[in-house]
């Protein structure tokens, strides 16, 4: 059971708690469509029967063990070309929140969060565009908290990494405060370069050699930056120039070279 948050300015003041649902992103999108909610409203659940991941994947989470929520934002102050700032701000909020408990947290482009080379959190952002602005954004966040057994070896949780078992309601409150601060910073539009710089600083592969799969070939590359539109800039060893990649155009490969999480 989750409760509305009182010590934030925007995030979580309105809370829709569902013990079980298909996907909090779908519920949030319906609320947006029906014009029924204010900015900052959060849909949160203990159990998702059809949790959605990026690129059409599923997000599977053990009931009552993890945070699964969707935040409704109305970032109409952001030009469409700047929408990646939402991803960057949210990734940084999750990064900051998890860093209270453990070191070795990294952002993996575009907005996965890893601890010690294993995924602890994923975000699915679904934006609605009106003209040149973003009229609404459903920010779906999954953070693995108390779950200790996973189907894949590349998944982890706060419990496994920090050795603690947490109270989900209290942790939601803490996380909402961090996200609230991040969103207010973004909304002020004064510190956008700082958001980009912090994101880069904590990005996996930034200025370090990591392995990618590109055009069916394993290549070594160094992330040199991120375009404002979110494309990843990579210098590939042995090839001239800098390549820029969109979401489906490059794959990360995890091998002995891909662990510079220091
Ligand atoms: C990913 O890494 O592939 C993104 C995962 C996003 C999962 C969250 S859980 C809450 C919200 N509702 C969903 O259906 N998905 C997001």
């Amino acid at each position: 059971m989750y409760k509305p948050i009182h010590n934030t300015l925007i995030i979580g003041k309105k809370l829709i708690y569902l013990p079980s649902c298909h996907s909090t992103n779908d519920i949030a999108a319906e609320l947006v469509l029906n014009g029924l909610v204010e900015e900052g409203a959060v849909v949160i659940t203990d159990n998702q029967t059809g949790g959605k991941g990026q690129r059409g994947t599923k997000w599977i989470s053990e009931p009552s063990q993890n945070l699964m929520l969707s935040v409704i934002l109305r970032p109409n102050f952001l030009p469409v070309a700047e929408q990646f700032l939402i991803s960057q701000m949210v990734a940084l909020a999750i990064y900051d929140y998890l860093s209270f408990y453990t070191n070795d947290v990294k952002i993996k482009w575009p907005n996965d969060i890893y601890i010690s080379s294993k995924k602890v959190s994923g975000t699915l952002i679904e934006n609605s565009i009106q003209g040149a602005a973003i009229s609404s954004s459903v920010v779906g966040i999954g953070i693995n908290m108390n779950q200790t057994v996973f189907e894949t070896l590349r998944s982890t949780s706060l419990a496994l990494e920090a050795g603690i078992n947490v109270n989900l309601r209290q942790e939601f409150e803490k996380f909402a405060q961090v996200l609230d601060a991040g969103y207010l910073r973004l909304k002020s539009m004064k510190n956008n370069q700082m958001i980009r710089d912090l994101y880069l600083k904590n990005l996996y592969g930034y200025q370090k050699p990591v392995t990618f799969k590109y055009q069916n070939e394993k290549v070594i590359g160094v992330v040199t930056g991120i375009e404002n539109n979110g494309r990843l800039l990579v210098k590939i060893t042995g090839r001239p120039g800098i390549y820029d990649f969109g979401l489906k155009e490059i794959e990360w490969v995890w091998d002995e070279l891909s662990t510079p999480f220091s």
Side-chain angles (χ1 to χ4, degrees), residues 44-58:
I44 190 160
T45 190
D46 292 325
N47 182 35
Q48 280 190 139
T49 53
K52 299 191 298 183
Q54 282 175 31
R55 299 185 247 181
T57 58
K58 289 183 183 152

Side-chain angles (χ1 to χ4, degrees), residues 21-26 43 45 48 50-55 57-61 67-70 111-113 119 121-126 138-143:
C21 70
H22 180 255
S23 152
T24 55
N25 264 38
D26 288 352
V43 181
T45 190
Q48 280 190 139
K52 299 191 298 183
Q54 282 175 31
R55 299 185 247 181
T57 58
K58 289 183 183 152
W59 183 258
I60 296 164
S61 188
L67 286 178
M68 288 167 273
L69 58 119
S70 299
N111 48 19
D112 290 343
I113 308 295
K119 181 162 169 171
S121 167
T123 301
L124 176 65
I125 301 182
E126 298 180 290
V138 170
V139 178
I141 299 169
I143 308 179

Side-chain angles (χ1 to χ4, degrees), residues 65-116:
Q65 298 300 312
N66 303 314
L67 286 178
M68 288 167 273
L69 58 119
S70 299
V71 185
I72 294 165
L73 301 177
R74 301 200 185 279
N76 44 20
F77 54 89
L78 262 189
V80 174
E82 304 265 306
Q83 61 183 297
F84 193 63
L85 274 166
I86 304 171
S87 280
Q88 289 174 305
M89 179 278 291
V90 173
L92 279 172
I94 304 171
Y95 172 92
D96 284 345
Y97 162 70
L98 290 170
S99 299
F100 286 137
Y101 293 104
T102 176
N103 300 319
D104 277 347
V105 186
K106 280 276 168 197
I107 300 167
K108 187 166 78 62
W109 177 85
N111 48 19
D112 290 343
I113 308 295
Y114 276 63
I115 304 178
S116 308

Side-chain angles (χ1 to χ4, degrees), residues 113-186:
I113 308 295
Y114 276 63
I115 304 178
S116 308
S117 311
K118 292 183 178 178
K119 181 162 169 171
V120 66
S121 167
T123 301
L124 176 65
I125 301 182
E126 298 180 290
N127 289 332
S128 305
I129 311 291
Q130 238 165 34
I134 304 160
S135 54
S136 70
S137 186
V138 170
V139 178
I141 299 169
I143 308 179
N144 297 334
M145 305 292 285
N146 292 330
Q147 183 171 341
T148 51
V149 179
F150 291 92
E151 278 176 18
T152 75
L153 291 174
R154 282 281 171 204
S155 297
T156 194
S157 63
L158 192 58
L160 286 175
E161 299 303 324
I164 46 170
N165 196 275
V166 293
N167 174 310
L168 292 178
R169 191 164 69 80
Q170 283 169 5
E171 295 310 304
F172 165 60
E173 212 170 301
K174 280 187 208 161
F175 174 64
Q177 286 164 20
V178 180
L179 188 63
D180 196 59
Y183 188 55
L184 288 172
R185 185 195 284 169
L186 178 65

